Amino acid sequence: MKAIGVRDGAGQAELMEIPKPDPEAGEALVRTLRVGVDGTDHEVIAGSHGGSPEGEEFLVLGHEAVGVVEDPNGTEFEVGDVVVPTVRRPPNGPNRYFDNEEPDMAPEGQYHERGIVGAHGFMAEYFTSPASKLVSVPPALAEHGFLVEPISITEKAVEHADASRSAFEWAPESALVLGNGSLGLLTLAMFEGRFDRTYCLGRRERPDPTIDIIESLGSTYVNSTETPIPEIPDVYEAPDLIYEATGYAKHPFEAIEALAPNGVAALLGVPSNWKFEIDGGTLHREIVLHNKAVVGSVNSNVRQFEAAVDSLAALSDSFLDALVTGIYGLDEFEAAFVDDDTTIKNAVQFSTYEER
Amino acid sequence: MKAIGVRDGAGQAELMEIPKPDPEAGEALVRTLRVGVDGTDHEVIAGSHGGSPEGEEFLVLGHEAVGVVEDPNGTEFEVGDVVVPTVRRPPNGPNRYFDNEEPDMAPEGQYHERGIVGAHGFMAEYFTSPASKLVSVPPALAEHGFLVEPISITEKAVEHADASRSAFEWAPESALVLGNGSLGLLTLAMFEGRFDRTYCLGRRERPDPTIDIIESLGSTYVNSTETPIPEIPDVYEAPDLIYEATGYAKHPFEAIEALAPNGVAALLGVPSNWKFEIDGGTLHREIVLHNKAVVGSVNSNVRQFEAAVDSLAALSDSFLDALVTGIYGLDEFEAAFVDDDTTIKNAVQFSTYEER
């Protein structure tokens, strides 16, 4: 069957021929519909993140998948069920994080991530997965089901941020999303209705499709070159929640000061080493005297995937149409890996729901 | 009546004669038993923190008090009840934080703190307080009741730290307390039984009374000049919880790296401005990839005072005897404000429970 992968050191995705997998006991065989492309894929292709399975010299890409059950193989699924797979798998037998159904909390070395590190991904005509790691999706969401994984990332981050504020009556009114990539925009859309006022920080000038989306959501676009984070409290307001999806290493420290009293910063970016000066005394004092919190969040679990299915269902078609730049077939898969200012979210299409 | 206060700019505590207060409606009159002295008092005396009530040129000190109800004045208390007052009061009429019974979450400007900023403290022969801001203490705890306030500070910090880890199954085994002052030692004692292994960081050499206490609690003393925080994970282990009570501005940033995966740092210190270099990229990445959290915590509310009463009751007499360096009468009150390496915790005695 056809797959899209990256050979070690190649620096680009390529079409490959690999054997169609056989489901083992407890696993279902899934026919792939669509697989999204995100920044992690670009890092994996560039070789700056993740790695191939042990003993192999290539990695099948893809961790944002939606598919249709082709062979339930004795699991609880039925032929034709639309499913989304979670990403983490136990590396060498189970460990307590997988036993607890919280593989998202496993430390480095205690997980593989399909399509990222140690295990092949979902960018193939078929994949197998333990049924316990497949989440059901209503057929109506089959087209956009590849967005369940990124949405689940935000479900987890917000769950942890909310938990950190659960020891008192927190009444957040405003949120600032750092980053106008696809994850930032999905998060901003998820915040509609929850916050009275939202802001989204980016570095782009008008005209820009992401700015159009931000404003169509009723949110305020903040151009960081005009209004850097430290000026946001004065120009707009001090946000109750700051969601960081930039991977820009100064943002967490700027966020601590910009937050409203009792606010929380949820961090999701993964920057490289970078030394710089901060006023650590001011940050320390500010966290303490205003009861602030900072929470880091990575990956997501089945429960958060299930919440993401509901969140996806609540997003408007017009938002989703604007978010998804292109859906590309295998004959033009390279286009899905283009990452320029006109690209918000691409996916590769392997088959359609109707083909069943 | 006699009181201990500081005149603006005087830089030292002095004995004063002030009018005995009359309780207003909803307030009780309390005969003061003992009032503890802590680092905040030293900052207030030095003029680096807090300030006198508006229109006055002195501040009665003291925020760690225990007393006996002398006149219930129609409140739910009875003559002879042992009570501890909370510290924050609304500054100019109520606000939502006081309405929610969470004055500890009020931002700067929306509270006075008795004995610290904007309102006279409890270092006087009598004080009045709204009954809603008095917490009952069993008579058996009257002697050590002045420790309820500092213990409540830890109750709140740990409550917020636990809340931040409540979105998953957190099974902490080890805790590191930064600081071997009285708050650090009280916290270490409160952690007995909750954590399998505890560590306490200080800067002192043996022989030292705090090191004796740390070891009598079954905890491990870490001399920061021999083993700074970044080396603790290798020399001992990466702690699941780090409790910071030093006010040393580099500690939060060192703590983020030293924490175990999924760990939390609770910050309580209040440092001055201090610029220094950090590897912000590494810290940012570490928070995210290992789901870490940082929570700041200041002050405490009635519920946390009530929890502190239970915690105080659970502390051993031998620990409390070792912790309390001296109890000084009004004739030698200056001794209570000495702060040297032999002093752990002092209090001023205004009267005894038996005097009633």
Side-chain angles (χ1 to χ4, degrees), chain A residues 149-216:
Chain A
E149 194 276 343
I151 291 172
S152 76
I153 297 296
T154 293
E155 299 287 356
K156 171 177 169 181
V158 171
E159 197 181 280
H160 281 235
D162 283 345
S164 81
R165 310 289 75 194
S166 65
F168 64 99
E169 278 195 47
W170 192 46
E173 296 179 358
S174 61
L176 166 64
V177 173
L178 306 180
N180 55 343
S182 57
L183 185 59
L185 296 175
L186 279 166
T187 301
L188 203 63
M190 292 162 71
F191 283 174
E192 228 188 333
R194 170 162 184 196
F195 295 95
D196 295 340
R197 299 170 303 281
T198 62
Y199 304 86
C200 187
L201 183 96
R203 284 182 302 185
R204 297 193 190 175
E205 305 290 338
R206 295 164 200 275
D208 179 85
T210 68
I211 301 176
D212 294 340
I213 292 178
I214 291 164
E215 294 180 345
S216 73

Side-chain angles (χ1 to χ4, degrees), chain B:
Chain B
M1 67 175 182
K2 292 190 173 62
I4 297 169
V6 59
R7 291 185 198 280
D8 294 355
Q12 60 178 23
E14 64 180 274
L15 202 59
M16 303 175 162
E17 189 68 30
I18 61 169
K20 182 175 169 182
D22 275 325
E24 296 180 15
E27 291 188 334
L29 177 71
V30 181
R31 173 166 58 81
T32 308
L33 293 171
R34 291 176 172 181
V35 184
V37 176
D38 77 353
T40 299
D41 295 306
H42 291 292
E43 289 168 18
V44 170
I45 292 168
S48 63
H49 187 71
S52 299
E54 206 179 314
E56 303 204 37
E57 292 175 345
F58 72 99
L59 177 76
V60 175
L61 289 164
H63 59 279
E64 303 178 350
V66 60
V68 177
V69 173
E70 174 105 351
D71 176 5
N73 191 36
T75 65
E76 76 260 31
F77 290 100
E78 293 182 13
V79 174
D81 282 354
V82 180
V83 291
V84 166
T86 65
V87 177
R88 287 195 173 175
R89 298 291 179 273
N92 303 300
N95 58 50
R96 73 179 176 94
Y97 301 99
F98 285 86
D99 292 344
N100 286 348
E101 301 186 0
E102 291 175 344
D104 56 305
M105 302 307 289
E108 279 180 286
Q110 298 204 42
Y111 58 79
H112 287 161
E113 286 180 335
R114 293 195 63 169
I116 301 173
V117 62
H120 288 308
F122 307 115
M123 279 198 181
E125 290 178 281
Y126 296 89
F127 63 85
T128 57
S129 171
S132 62
K133 302 203 176 337
L134 293 172
V135 174
S136 284
V137 174
L141 299 181
E143 275 195 10
H144 289 119
F146 65 91
L147 296 173
V148 168
E149 194 275 345
I151 291 172
S152 77
I153 297 296
T154 293
E155 298 288 355
K156 171 177 170 182
V158 172
E159 197 181 278
H160 281 233
D162 283 345
S164 81
R165 311 289 73 194
S166 65
F168 64 98
E169 279 196 46
W170 192 46
E173 296 179 357
S174 61
L176 166 63
V177 173
L178 306 181
N180 55 343
S182 58
L183 185 59
L185 296 174
L186 279 167
T187 302
L188 203 63
M190 292 162 71
F191 283 174
E192 227 189 332
R194 171 164 182 196
F195 295 95
D196 295 342
R197 298 170 303 282
T198 62
Y199 305 86
C200 187
L201 184 95
R203 285 181 301 187
R204 299 193 189 175
E205 304 290 338
R206 295 165 200 273
D208 179 84
T210 69
I211 301 175
D212 293 341
I213 292 178
I214 291 164
E215 294 181 343
S216 74
L217 289 169
S219 183
T220 300
Y221 177 64
V222 180
N223 184 330
S224 63
T225 59
E226 290 166 12
T227 313
I229 296 175
E231 294 176 18
I232 289 177
D234 283 339
V235 175
Y236 300 101
E237 64 182 301
D240 294 304
L241 183 144
I242 296 181
Y243 176 101
E244 178 274 325
T246 57
Y248 185 74
K250 287 191 174 177
H251 279 168
F253 308 97
E254 294 177 347
I256 289 169
E257 276 204 79
L259 277 174
N262 308 332
V264 58
L267 309 184
L268 290 92
V270 183
S272 304
N273 297 2
W274 184 17
K275 290 188 180 177
F276 48 80
E277 190 178 73
I278 57 166
D279 186 340
T282 298
L283 292 181
H284 184 174
R285 194 172 64 245
E286 184 59 30
I287 292 177
V288 171
L289 292 182
H290 281 140
N291 296 292
K292 294 182 179 181
V294 178
V295 297
S297 180
V298 67
N299 197 252
S300 52
N301 61 35
V302 164
R303 190 168 46 72
Q304 291 144 356
F305 269 70
E306 289 168 348
V309 173
D310 294 339
S311 291
L312 174 61
L315 297 179
S316 72
D317 287 341
S318 61
F319 167 75
L320 291 169
D321 288 345
L323 184 83
V324 178
T325 311
I327 304 292
Y328 300 96
L330 281 178
D331 54 334
E332 49 174 1
F333 77 91
E334 293 96 338
F337 291 92
V338 169
D339 188 20
D340 60 24
D341 272 7
T342 65
T343 303
I344 303 177
K345 186 72 182 178
N346 286 335
V348 179
Q349 177 142 329
F350 289 84
S351 66
T352 63
Y353 179 61
E354 292 72 20
E355 279 171 38
R356 55 179 287 196

Side-chain angles (χ1 to χ4, degrees), chain A residues 89-106:
Chain A
R89 298 293 179 272
N92 304 298
N95 58 50
R96 73 180 176 95
Y97 301 99
F98 285 87
D99 292 344
N100 286 348
E101 300 185 0
E102 292 175 344
D104 56 304
M105 302 307 289

Side-chain angles (χ1 to χ4, degrees), chain A residues 245-262:
Chain A
T246 57
Y248 184 75
K250 287 191 174 175
H251 278 168
F253 307 97
E254 294 177 346
I256 288 169
E257 276 204 78
L259 277 174
N262 308 332

